[in-house]
Amino acid sequence: MTPADPAPRRRVPPPEIPPAALATLAGMLGALGAAELFGAPSPGPAVAGFAAAAAMAAGLWLGGRKAAAETRLRQYRVADELAQYRAFTRLMRAQGERIVDQSAESALTIAHGLRRIDTEMSVLDSGLSRLEANGADPAEIESLRQAVAAAAEPVVGMLAALQFQDVTRQQTEFLARLSLLLEEHMDDLARMLGDRRSLDRTTRFKELFEQALNDTVMSSQRDDHRAANGIDLQESTGPAVELFFDEEGTK
Amino acid sequence: MSTIFLIDDSATILMSMETILGKAGYGIAKASSGEDAVAQLEKGLKPGLIITDIHMPGMNGIELIRKVRVMAGLQFIPILVVTTESQQSKRDEARAAKATGWLVKPVQPDDLLRVVKQILPNG
């Protein structure tokens, strides 16, 4: 670059002057002009007062900007945290699915085993009958038959008890639905950070809480929902077995 | 002995009930969804009793009962609901759909057999 070819001058934007400082400066100049016009001996105290006011206004403005920036940073931080909590809810749902799958597989294995035991007990009982017909000691056969019956007796009850797996599956699925509602709410909150209108949307949580109630599939879940809501009320559940017709069998 | 048609999306429940009722001498047919149940009934399955869950993916138990009630020859077949739900309003819904009875899971084997014998007195 030669001296004849000067570098292009960069345009530097003028410094931003806060409106409050401008207003104060204008007021100060106005006061000075008025003092001159009316022949006041010295504008000293008035100028000092306005100068102090201007400094205060500028300080307040700068402090406000700094506080707003800090608030904004905090909001970003909270939004980040919320995003991480959403990841936690996904983790919990994935664990719930694993628990359901694993318990279903185990319950089925146990159920198959119990049915096999039941079948083999029937085979044993038939064998004992054949031995008895072939002249085996009746007392010994009877003793063995009682042992077989005693071993087979709990099988049906144990199979019935395996229904727990279906009940806990539905409870776990309900937890997964709750966690989805929470994730949705956290997503809303993260998006609302920094949005002044968020204050108008504070009913969202109530809606989600009511949605959780709609998602229930058993009385114990609704009782828990009421308890979480501070309501001490147990649902009337009715009998475990109910037929919808009268004694004569007519509806 | 009559055939009992079991409908539940839980394999454990199906196996549990199949064993309890099978040991009592009943024939068993099974479906794991409302849609599968309807398909089997449309193919001509004629059970003496239907036992269905309520909360199933796809067609739920109440919808299934409503469908069965308009199928030829099945309007009066007894249908028992077996569910985790015990709310009175849900029971009323099932009753309105013309269910025969309501059992809350987990069902005790004695309760199940007693109710089935009451509905199918001739086996």
Side-chain angles (χ1 to χ4, degrees):
Chain A
M1 196 172 287
T2 63
D5 183 18
R9 296 181 65 181
R10 283 178 61 194
R11 291 190 63 188
V12 179
E16 195 182 336
I17 301 171
L22 274 176
T24 312
L25 191 63
M28 214 166 75
L29 290 171
L32 278 170
E36 182 69 27
L37 188 65
F38 294 106
S42 166
V47 171
F50 279 117
M56 190 182 289
L60 281 173
W61 181 79
L62 283 172
R65 279 196 79 166
K66 194 179 170 194
E70 280 172 4
T71 304
R72 196 79 192 148
L73 279 175
R74 280 196 205 103
Q75 286 175 341
Y76 291 149
R77 172 75 194 277
V78 174
D80 282 349
E81 293 279 330
L82 284 171
Q84 289 177 59
Y85 286 130
R86 288 175 59 204
F88 271 110
T89 65
R90 283 184 213 123
L91 186 64
M92 288 193 284
R93 281 198 298 281
Q95 274 299 294
E97 278 173 27
R98 280 178 192 279
I99 290 167
V100 166
D101 290 347
Q102 207 161 23
S103 69
E105 198 181 320
S106 302
L108 266 182
T109 305
I110 295 169
H112 279 297
L114 288 170
R115 283 185 64 174
R116 175 92 188 270
I117 290 170
D118 192 53
T119 307
E120 295 302 322
M121 290 300 176
S122 300
V123 172
L124 271 177
D125 199 53
S126 304
L128 288 173
S129 297
R130 278 196 303 278
L131 286 174
E132 192 175 26
N134 290 338
D137 178 11
E140 197 175 347
I141 293 292
E142 183 52 32
S143 166
L144 285 170
R145 187 168 279 139
Q146 282 178 10
V148 167
E153 195 271 330
V155 168
V156 167
M158 287 160 81
L159 270 166
L162 283 176
Q163 292 174 74
F164 91 90
Q165 193 276 328
D166 185 50
V167 177
T168 52
R169 172 180 65 95
Q170 294 188 45
Q171 288 164 337
T172 311
E173 284 169 352
F174 177 63
L175 288 179
R177 288 196 291 275
L178 283 184
S179 126
L180 270 176
L181 290 175
L182 273 179
E183 183 176 322
E184 203 179 314
H185 188 54
M186 283 191 272
D187 192 35
D188 274 356
L189 287 175
R191 274 190 277 109
M192 276 190 251
L193 282 171
D195 179 356
R196 286 170 177 274
R197 289 169 301 174
S198 63
L199 286 175
D200 301 332
R201 300 170 65 186
T202 48
T203 53
R204 181 78 179 127
F205 189 81
K206 189 170 178 288
E207 287 166 19
L208 291 174
F209 202 66
E210 279 167 10
Q211 180 61 48
L213 181 62
N214 291 336
D215 283 350
T216 56
V217 293
M218 56 187 87
S219 297
S220 60
Q221 291 168 346
R222 285 185 290 276
D223 288 343
D224 290 344
H225 189 280
R226 286 189 204 96
N229 215 1
I231 301 168
D232 183 19
L233 179 70
Q234 299 278 304
E235 184 170 294
S236 169
T237 55
V241 179
E242 182 180 7
L243 289 179
F244 298 146
F245 54 78
D246 58 27
E247 293 296 317
E248 286 76 38
T250 53
K251 287 196 181 172
Chain B
M1 293 285 267
S2 302
T3 295
I4 299 176
F5 191 17
L6 304 173
I7 303 142
D8 202 304
D9 59 321
S10 162
T12 313
I13 293 284
L14 286 178
M15 189 172 283
S16 168
M17 289 200 178
E18 181 183 11
T19 308
I20 295 166
L21 296 168
K23 276 176 76 71
Y26 295 101
I28 302 294
K30 295 182 289 183
S32 58
S33 69
E35 290 83 355
D36 183 16
V38 169
Q40 291 192 47
L41 291 168
E42 282 175 346
K43 280 182 189 165
L45 177 67
K46 291 273 185 255
L49 166 67
I50 293 175
I51 299 180
T52 182
D53 186 16
I54 287 285
H55 298 294
M56 294 184 285
M59 185 189 298
N60 69 39
I62 300 288
E63 288 168 336
L64 172 66
I65 296 170
R66 290 191 187 119
K67 270 198 177 289
V68 171
R69 287 297 178 229
V70 295
M71 290 173 87
L74 297 175
Q75 289 93 333
F76 302 108
I77 188 173
I79 303 178
L80 280 177
V81 169
V82 180
T83 176
T84 54
E85 185 58 82
S86 51
Q87 195 176 31
Q88 190 57 48
S89 64
K90 298 280 182 190
R91 288 177 196 244
D92 293 343
E93 205 180 331
R95 189 198 297 255
K98 295 190 169 35
T100 311
W102 185 278
L103 287 90
V104 179
K105 287 179 187 174
V107 183
Q108 296 306 311
D110 290 347
D111 285 339
L112 180 64
L113 288 172
R114 180 172 52 79
V115 169
V116 169
K117 280 175 188 162
Q118 202 173 338
I119 293 171
L120 300 171
N122 300 320

